[in-house]
Each structure stands twice: as C-alpha cells, then as structure tokens.
Amino acid sequence: MPSIDVNLLADLQARGLVAQMTGDDQLNTYLGEGSRTLYCGFDPTADSLHIGSLVPLLTLKRFQDAGHKPIALVGGATGLIGDPSFKAQERKLNTADVVESWVGKIKTQVSAFIEFDGCDNSAEVVNNLDWTVGMDVLTFLRDVGKHFSINNMINKESVKQRIDREGAGISFTEFTYMLLQSFDFAELYKRYDCSLQIGGSDQWGNIVGGVDLTKKMHGGKAFGLTLPLVTKSDGTKFGKTESGTIWLDAAKTSPYAFYQFWLNSADADTYKFLKYFTFLSVAEIDGIEEADRIAEGRPQGQRILAEAVTRLVHGDSGLEAAERITAALFSGALESLSESDLDQLKLDGLPATTLSRKELQGLSLTQVLVDAGMVSSGKQVKDALGRNAVLINSHPKGAEQNMDIDKCFPVSDAFYGRFYIVKLGKKKYHLFELGD
RNA sequence: GCAGGGGUUCCCGAGUGGCCAAAGGGAUCAGACUGUAAAUCUGACGCGCAAGCUUCGGUGGUUCGAAUCCACCCCCCUGCACCA
C-alpha cells in the first residue's frame, strides 16, 4: 500500500495547477482516504507530443508520487475522430494507419514520465481503441448515446463557437467526440476502478461528460479536475517559436533548442513555469524568485527552469549536450573550441550543414543560409547583413559580400580548415562544415 | 436542389477597374536599449543580391489596364426544401 500524500491537492493549487474541479473538497477528502486511480488522455494528433502535454503528463506523475495510480490513455480511437473542443474549425481526418503509427510513438513518449516498476500504484498505458473498435453502432447508440442530451451538448462552451459562429459549423462526427471520451472514463472505471480524470481546461466539458456517464452507467462516483491552459504574459501562444512547435521528440526539437526555449522565458512567466513544469517545491521556487528579485542583473530562474525541464525530457546526457553548445556559443569565445568540440556540437544537435566549396560557387550568402534553414527568406539575411548582424567565425559580413561567397567563407578563417559558425542575429547559430 | 452570404499575402481583416505586392492590427525576423528577459523605439515582413518575377479559391473572358467587371466551376456558411 503506497503512502498517501494528503497535501497533494493543496500543492497543486499552490502551483496554480488547478483550473476547475468537480465536487470541491469532496475530491480532497477522497484522495486523502486511499490510493486512487486516475487517468489523462493524449490524442495522437501528431507523431510526437509537444510541451503543452507536459503539464498533464507531469501532473500524472505528481499524483503517482502522492500514492495514486496513473493511467495514460492514448487515444487511438478518439484520434480518429478529432476533438472539437474550442477548435475554430472542423479538422481533417487522419487515416487509420497514420493514427496507429502515432499511437505507438506517443505511447513510448508518455511512458517515460511515469513509473511502471510493479509497485502497487504502478502506471498503465492504455489505448481506447481497444474497447471501441469492436463495439457496434447500435450498442453504442443504445448504451452510451441514450445518456446524453443534445440540448445539453449544444450548450457546452467548448462547441459554442462552432454552433453559433458564422463560417464554422460542426459535423456529427466531431460532435460525437464527447461521447467517446465519456465512454472511456466509464470503461476505465469498470476496468481499473478509475475515478478521476484530469486534463487541460479545454477538456472540462468532456470530463464532466465522463463523470456523468460513469454515474449513469455504473453508479460510480467519479471526479474531474482540469489544469490551466499555459499562457504567456505577452499574450502570444505558448510553446511556439519562429521555427515552430517545441516537441518532446529529440529528433524534432533538439535538446539544445529545447533548452534554449526555456532559457528564453520571460521573467513574468518563469516562476509560474517552474511551478508547472518542475518538481521543485513551491517554497524553493518562491525562494528563487525572491533571490532573483533582489539580485542585480541576470536572474537564475530561467537557467534553473531550462535545466530541470531539459533533464526531465531529455535526460542528463541531453542536458549536457544542450549546455555544452550553449556554453560554447554564448561565451563569445568560438576560437577556443577544439576540433573535437566542433564535431561534438554537430552530434549534440546544433543545426549543421555540410557543403563542398564547389557546391558553393555561384551562390549568394542569402541563398546558402536559406538553404541551410537558418531563415525563411533571403530578405531576412539581407536585412541582417545591412545591420552587421551576420557573423561568420566572429567576422561581421556586410551586404556587399553577399555575392562573394569566397569572402564570406575564406579559407584562412576556417576553424581546423573546415568549420564555420554562422551567427545570425543575437542567438541563431548554424555550423557549416566545408570540404573542398 | 433553391435562396442568401462568403473564399484576399502566416492569422484577423480593408480594398470593389489604374495611385495595389495590395490599408490596418496581430504574429514573426533584425537593430538600439538590456540580462540570450519584458516594455519601448527603429527597420523588415510574396520571391529574388539585383534587373525583375509571381499573387488576391479555379478556369476562361471583357478591357490599354482586373483582387476589383462578366461566364462557368470548386469549396465554406446560413435558411428553406428534399429524404418523410
């Protein structure tokens, strides 16, 4: 019998991790009385989860650490349908085999965050396709559908804009999503005595649906709890950068890029993120915030955040790689890098391109940097060139050298005869390795 | 199927014959200031180093000239009808 941390809910609240919950203090009492089973669903809408999913994922772990049993549900079924909640438009359906391949990847990812060591509250990973694929429509309509009121469903905030708004609309398929998710909860209740569902605050409608259905189908007592949507102080969308989404998959977002993402958090968000994304105690985090407030200059919060989350997602080796690159590039002493350091940077995930001098002939610098993926258009390079913001092995290049590729990559400047580090703007780096 | 509304550059959204590569806002990029932060200010923001080239759902047409006008087609939304 795992020991129960009765302060779990209070801690979650102190972290700002509770958006809404059913049953108010009933849930607190319920969680304090014994080890409970809870679940959170992750739909396979891509081949990897992104950092938005980290909040519920880590919350599952927090529950496990407090003595409860977490179930990560991968939506092999729901992923075929598409959740309409707060979506402005109907989404395109993915094919069954694509979704299936994503399910596999996401199962693996999810599994990294919770413990399966065979203890009493060891985690489970399930796929809702397992109990929906064999179900026929009539059974579904009679056993599940009958418990839902359309009147109720169309009044849900989550589909309101699709019902009201001109230019949108919702298909029966997506409208039915809620029934599927609700059925998952009821099913997990039956199979695992799962009595709590957590999820992002956009899932509130679906979660409440599941709570109700569990009651109706099995007379079970079930709870729901939602986590806040992660927002940024400046109002822009969390989890995106100019180069796109921050994924958990190292092949899609390198540990270095991942680390940099967190390091670049705004002060106004950093301490909140520490509470959301790390296991540091609230007291520790408050201490860090206070220390940063008093200290002059650069705060420590971002670094602590970046280290903690990168280690959590990419492990010690991923963190080391990220820190190695960061130290090399941002110390301003590129010349001090050894040849093996440079080779290592490539392996560590610093964006890199290999080219021969022959291939470069006739190309403009703008073209080379665009091809390497540093920028999306030559205009941006031109703009940077005009402001002395392009440095190649620490030598600034100007617009007049754009067409003279040999002056951009002079043999005499190459590190160890083959490496060039191009810096564009304040923090974009790219390694070029030139052969003959 | 009928009627009405609509499809503009990443997003929102102006534009209804030339002054439109297309207002404005957001996002994004770069510079200054800083702490690889925020705020602020400046510049960029279809593609191209440039000459120039390609856009406003699609295809044709009218015109010296079209995102703007006409025809047909495709897609979305709303209502009605059909299904009964």
Side-chain angles (χ1 to χ4, degrees):
Chain A
M1 196 53 191
S3 66
I4 304 301
D5 177 1
V6 294
N7 294 319
L8 173 64
L9 209 52
D11 179 59
L12 293 180
Q13 272 162 335
R15 288 177 179 276
L17 277 174
V18 178
Q20 298 142 294
M21 60 183 185
T22 60
D24 299 313
D25 7 308
Q26 273 184 53
L27 178 58
N28 194 29
T29 311
Y30 181 72
L31 290 172
E33 283 169 355
S35 177
R36 308 299 184 183
T37 300
L38 75 152
Y39 98 96
C40 179
F42 301 90
D43 272 359
T45 53
D47 60 359
S48 168
L49 295 175
H50 52 81
I51 53 177
S53 305
L54 223 40
V55 177
L57 218 37
L58 297 185
T59 306
L60 279 183
K61 172 71 169 148
R62 294 179 206 283
F63 272 90
Q64 187 171 35
D65 288 347
H68 304 287
K69 178 187 177 71
I71 298 175
L73 178 149
V74 179
T78 34
L80 290 169
I81 302 304
D83 183 3
S85 299
F86 298 101
K87 301 285 188 318
Q89 283 187 324
E90 183 87 10
R91 285 184 298 169
K92 177 173 125 256
L93 293 175
N94 294 306
T95 64
D97 40 316
V98 165
V99 172
E100 192 188 333
S101 77
W102 291 350
V103 164
K105 293 189 173 176
I106 286 167
K107 266 189 170 176
T108 312
Q109 276 189 342
V110 155
S111 304
F113 293 90
I114 39 186
E115 307 293 335
F116 295 88
D117 58 5
C119 57
D120 285 343
N121 62 330
S122 79
E124 305 273 348
V125 176
V126 299
N127 181 352
N128 58 10
L129 191 63
D130 292 346
W131 54 81
T132 43
V133 74
M135 189 178 218
D136 66 275
V137 210
L138 292 178
T139 306
F140 181 74
L141 292 177
R142 289 175 63 96
D143 293 357
V144 180
K146 199 66 175 172
H147 295 296
F148 287 83
S149 144
I150 290 284
N151 311 51
N152 227 319
M153 288 170 70
I154 57 176
N155 284 320
K156 296 271 182 198
E157 198 58 42
S158 52
V159 293
K160 211 180 181 78
Q161 62 170 326
R162 296 283 289 278
I163 306 275
D164 295 345
R165 189 187 161 189
E166 185 118 350
I170 182 167
S171 69
F172 180 74
T173 304
E174 284 197 6
F175 192 57
T176 310
Y177 182 92
M178 189 181 140
L179 274 70
L180 274 183
Q181 185 168 329
S182 298
F183 182 62
D184 287 342
F185 198 175
E187 190 66 19
L188 289 173
Y189 176 84
K190 197 175 82 186
R191 295 182 178 217
Y192 295 96
D193 196 25
C194 174
S195 51
L196 169 66
Q197 181 182 177
I198 66 170
S201 58
D202 58 330
Q203 294 300 306
W204 180 247
N206 293 332
I207 292 176
V208 169
V211 168
D212 288 343
L213 184 65
T214 303
K215 262 177 222 161
K216 287 176 180 165
M217 287 183 79
H218 307 297
K221 186 172 174 187
F223 298 90
L225 183 152
T226 62
L227 311 166
L229 189 71
V230 184
T231 56
K232 290 205 293 176
S233 56
D234 63 5
T236 59
K237 199 168 170 155
F238 169 76
K240 300 266 186 192
T241 66
E242 75 278 5
S243 41
T245 305
I246 305 296
W247 302 96
L248 299 189
D249 184 347
K252 289 169 78 82
T253 300
S254 74
Y256 162 69
F258 189 86
Y259 178 88
Q260 285 287 323
F261 170 81
W262 296 103
L263 195 64
N264 278 293
S265 300
D267 291 2
D269 295 323
T270 300
Y271 310 98
K272 177 171 83 175
F273 288 175
L274 278 165
K275 289 174 187 155
Y276 284 2
F277 295 100
T278 76
F279 291 99
L280 295 173
S281 72
V282 173
E284 285 174 280
I285 295 166
D286 288 344
I288 295 165
E289 181 168 11
E290 181 60 14
D292 281 345
R293 200 178 56 76
I294 296 167
E296 292 282 312
R298 191 189 203 148
Q300 295 302 303
Q302 280 88 340
R303 204 202 76 244
I304 296 169
L305 174 68
E307 276 177 16
V309 188
T310 307
R311 181 181 289 120
L312 206 56
V313 174
H314 296 297
D316 286 331
S317 63
L319 174 60
E320 273 168 38
E323 289 186 320
R324 196 153 50 223
I325 299 179
T326 297
L329 299 180
F330 290 90
S331 68
L334 296 181
E335 304 74 23
S336 65
L337 292 168
S338 71
E339 189 165 10
S340 64
D341 283 345
L342 285 159
D343 276 318
Q344 187 61 42
L345 290 187
K346 244 189 337 183
L347 299 174
D348 283 348
L350 179 68
T353 303
T354 305
L355 284 171
S356 69
R357 290 208 175 269
K358 206 186 292 168
E359 287 171 302
L360 280 181
Q361 290 314 308
L363 293 179
S364 57
L365 181 60
T366 42
Q367 189 63 51
V368 173
L369 300 192
V370 169
D371 289 349
M374 279 189 86
V375 283
S376 55
S377 86
K379 280 257 170 50
Q380 289 178 21
V381 180
K382 194 187 149 202
D383 182 49
L385 281 171
R387 294 157 180 274
N388 279 319
V390 179
L391 273 69
I392 301 183
N393 283 1
S394 306
H395 298 294
K397 302 297 167 187
E400 68 286 350
Q401 282 147 65
N402 184 35
M403 292 314 290
D404 193 343
I405 208 73
D406 289 327
K407 281 219 179 80
C408 290
F409 296 99
V411 178
S412 57
D413 280 358
F415 293 146
Y416 308 100
R418 57 187 171 119
F419 291 112
Y420 293 89
I421 291 179
V422 177
K423 178 183 184 188
L424 193 152
K426 226 176 299 187
K427 35 190 158 175
K428 250 186 275 188
Y429 289 92
H430 195 99
L431 179 70
F432 285 86
E433 185 177 356
L434 288 195
D436 312 308

